[in-house]
Amino acid sequence: LDKAHRDLHGRFADSIRDDERLTKPAPEILDMGCGFGKSTRPFWQTFPDSHIIGIDLAAPCLRVAASEAAQDARRHMIFRQADARQSGCADESVDLVTSTMLLHEMPDAARRDMFAESWRVLRPGGVAVHLDFWLLPTPFDRFIMEGHSKRNNEPFMKALFDSDLDGDLRAAGF
């Protein structure tokens, strides 16, 4: 598929591939909150020689992710049960840390801990990109998203909208 028709996860991986700070052709990647691997697979496609670790709290989702990765012979992609606040990765061992639609699933303190963990595992010059809802262009967009969060039992989305992400990232070291 061409770029315009790739899903959100594919376009997200494409946008990161073009980041000039990622100079390695095969960066070490940590995908936090990977679920069943839908966010992780496009990174393997974008950086096929990379070693990628997908972590999530949900063991059943990780089994699906690992099974699908094994069918595609993606031997450089592993899935491990871990909390994004304590990934199990060594200090400064990762070139790229990502998450997709995870921030709005976490209370403020957990999100700040996740940012600190992202900073801890990044090598100097590494890149962290956490994709989620936050900068909504209009008050109507916020109204729509807050309605979505109520209907879908997303208790932390409003807190995310009200948070100081820039300040939280600076406090973590970014």
Side-chain angles (χ1 to χ4, degrees):
L1 292 175
D2 65 35
K3 271 187 173 184
H5 292 97
R6 291 190 69 192
D7 72 1
L8 169 74
H9 303 288
R11 292 191 319 266
F12 182 46
D14 288 344
S15 72
I16 292 170
R17 179 196 61 227
D18 297 335
D19 190 309
E20 67 276 356
R21 294 170 294 178
L22 286 174
T23 57
K24 288 183 170 181
E28 301 288 325
I29 300 171
L30 171 62
D31 187 23
M32 297 175 153
C34 69
F36 55 88
K38 187 172 183 179
S39 62
T40 314
R41 283 187 297 277
F43 287 105
W44 187 84
Q45 293 164 341
T46 302
F47 300 104
D49 296 323
S50 291
H51 289 92
I52 303 172
I53 299 169
I55 63 170
D56 202 283
L57 290 174
C61 290
L62 293 166
R63 283 192 290 277
V64 170
S67 174
E68 289 182 5
Q71 290 175 13
D72 288 341
R74 295 178 181 167
R75 301 193 200 311
H76 300 296
M77 191 162 58
I78 62 168
F79 295 93
R80 185 174 68 221
Q81 189 172 19
D83 188 320
R85 299 173 296 174
Q86 297 175 324
S87 68
C89 294
D91 292 354
E92 298 182 359
S93 61
V94 176
D95 301 299
L96 173 62
V97 177
T98 66
S99 72
T100 306
M101 301 303 160
L102 180 60
L103 302 180
H104 75 270
E105 302 289 351
M106 308 174 89
D108 291 339
R111 193 172 51 251
R112 286 190 289 269
D113 290 346
M114 185 190 87
F115 290 156
E117 179 68 357
S118 297
W119 179 257
R120 183 188 71 77
V121 303
L122 275 177
R123 289 186 174 118
V127 178
V129 184
H130 299 287
L131 176 66
D132 212 311
F133 308 104
W134 186 58
L135 293 176
L136 300 172
T138 69
F140 182 73
D141 293 316
R142 181 169 174 154
F143 170 77
I144 294 297
M145 291 309 298
E146 286 182 4
H148 166 82
S149 71
K150 286 178 187 173
R151 286 187 305 278
N152 291 288
N153 195 25
E154 302 270 6
F156 305 115
M157 191 175 284
K158 185 177 182 324
L160 175 63
F161 296 154
D162 295 333
S163 68
D164 176 14
L165 284 185
D166 291 337
D168 291 346
L169 287 163
R170 276 191 301 278
F174 291 97

